[in-house]
Amino acid sequence: MPEQVDGRGPGDGGGPGPGARRAGPAFGLAEVYNPSMLPTLRPGDRLLLHYGAAVRPGDVVVVRHPFRQDLLIVKRAVERRDGGWWVRGDNPRVVNDSREFGAVPDELVVARARVRLRPLGGQRSPLALASWALSAVRPLRAARSFSSLLRAR
């Protein structure tokens, strides 16, 4: 099953369509549903998205699936190739990425993920709350070493 995100961008529920320019706010939220980005992202995590942001190798991005453009997926941009961005998930056990569908055209790149927001778990003990508070909000920085490793293969 593809790594699906629920892109709840302001106004349109999922970012601009292919080839469309985004009107309105440049930021939105998405929820991660599947495990293709483990350990970086887990199902239930929310992402603060920056629509129209420049993408660099190593960035976490939300793209429209090239074969099902109504489906938003979250992946890591590995490198720019002819025809678009080569994207991969961080979880080596999930293959729903450019190895399956090739480079993603620029017009299908919806947003760059800036921040991961981890949901509060069911435990409410002081130790659990402290642990959650320390890890709940994390900026998503480009994983340069990860993208270099992928290119070397």
Side-chain angles (χ1 to χ4, degrees), residues 76-128:
R76 189 171 301 279
V78 176
E79 67 181 351
R80 186 81 175 84
R81 293 189 178 182
D82 289 338
W85 280 96
W86 191 263
V87 297
R88 294 237 350 224
D90 288 357
N91 184 346
R93 295 186 182 116
V94 179
V95 184
N96 183 43
D97 53 29
S98 288
R99 294 171 290 175
E100 180 181 295
F101 49 71
V104 176
D106 290 327
E107 62 268 16
L108 297 184
V109 177
V110 175
R112 179 177 164 194
R114 295 290 190 167
V115 175
R116 180 213 66 208
L117 307 165
R118 194 144 282 157
L120 179 61
Q123 295 186 0
R124 305 275 189 227
S125 72
L127 184 59

Side-chain angles (χ1 to χ4, degrees), residues 17-55:
R21 300 199 116 213
R22 181 170 179 79
F27 293 92
L29 290 175
E31 183 175 349
V32 177
Y33 283 103
N34 294 348
S36 81
M37 287 297 292
L38 283 171
T40 307
L41 302 173
R42 294 187 278 195
D45 285 351
R46 293 191 186 271
L47 303 175
L48 175 64
L49 303 179
H50 186 180
Y51 297 102
V55 176

